[in-house]
């Protein structure tokens, strides 16, 4: 399983209930099926990454293209009304993302972002494997 406590699991289920094709869930299922084990929403790690690989000290974020303003992506175009409100709000999101990135780096975490629009790309498993390394680290016995 995913190393969740009962509370974490029910919080997780509550969040995804009725939306089980959410990009986060698609990626979690994929990563799980590839043989990796991870934690979700681990406290004490900046930015509350979607997937946390404690032993590898790596995290994966699944970012919504709009909320995190995926550069050059058509899903990231800003609303035409209430422009002042939206540009301020989205700029704050980006600032937070940059801050999280710096904090993670300072703490020695490596991170990867998978954008919502990339979730269905064929090469996503390869990219994840390239980032994480082999699924199971077998101890070397002599
Ligand atoms: Zn995008």
């Amino acid at each position: 399983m995913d190393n969740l406590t009962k509370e974490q699991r029910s919080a997780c289920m509550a969040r995804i209930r009725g939306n089980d094709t959410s990009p986060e869930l698609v990626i979690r299922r994929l990563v799980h099926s590839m043989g990796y084990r991870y934690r979700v929403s681990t406290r004490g790690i900046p930015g509350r990454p979607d997937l946390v690989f404690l032993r590898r000290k790596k995290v994966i974020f699944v970012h919504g293209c709009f909320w995190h303003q995926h550069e050059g992506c058509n899903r990231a175009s800003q609303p035409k009304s209430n422009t002042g409100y939206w540009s301020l709000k989205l700029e704050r999101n980006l600032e937070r993302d940059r801050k999280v990135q710096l904090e993670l780096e300072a703490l020695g975490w490596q991170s990867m972002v998978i954008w919502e629009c990339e979730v269905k790309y064929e090469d996503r498993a390869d990219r994840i494997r390239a980032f994480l390394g082999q699924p199971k680290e077998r101890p070397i016995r002599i």
Side-chain angles (χ1 to χ4, degrees), residues 65 70 73-76 115-118:
C65 296
H70 188 195
C73 176
N74 58 13
R75 298 186 191 204
W115 293 96
E116 175 192 1
C117 65
E118 298 171 339

Side-chain angles (χ1 to χ4, degrees), residues 47-94:
R48 293 175 68 90
D50 296 290
L51 295 88
V52 175
F53 304 85
L54 281 175
R55 273 186 308 140
R56 298 166 196 264
K57 229 176 170 197
K58 291 179 181 179
V59 297
I60 293 179
F61 291 95
V62 183
H63 272 355
C65 296
F66 175 71
W67 293 106
H68 297 272
Q69 288 292 288
H70 188 195
E71 222 177 312
C73 176
N74 58 13
R75 298 186 191 204
S77 58
Q78 297 201 7
K80 302 268 184 290
S81 62
N82 230 342
T83 51
Y85 168 81
W86 283 111
S87 67
L88 185 65
K89 186 168 181 61
L90 294 170
E91 184 50 44
R92 282 201 186 126
N93 284 355
L94 291 191

Side-chain angles (χ1 to χ4, degrees), residues 91-138:
E91 184 50 44
R92 282 201 186 126
N93 284 355
L94 291 191
E95 246 166 57
R96 196 185 314 123
D97 288 346
R98 283 191 286 265
K99 193 166 154 263
V100 163
Q101 210 49 245
L102 292 175
E103 286 173 359
L104 284 170
E105 276 169 32
L107 294 169
W109 288 88
Q110 289 179 271
S111 66
M112 174 187 190
V113 171
I114 298 175
W115 293 96
E116 175 192 1
C117 65
E118 298 171 339
V119 161
K120 295 202 168 80
Y121 285 5
E122 288 290 321
D123 70 344
R124 70 216 199 288
D126 295 336
R127 287 175 50 216
I128 290 166
R129 205 176 287 112
F131 172 65
L132 291 176
Q134 287 306 306
K136 279 182 185 142
E137 294 154 280
R138 294 191 191 90

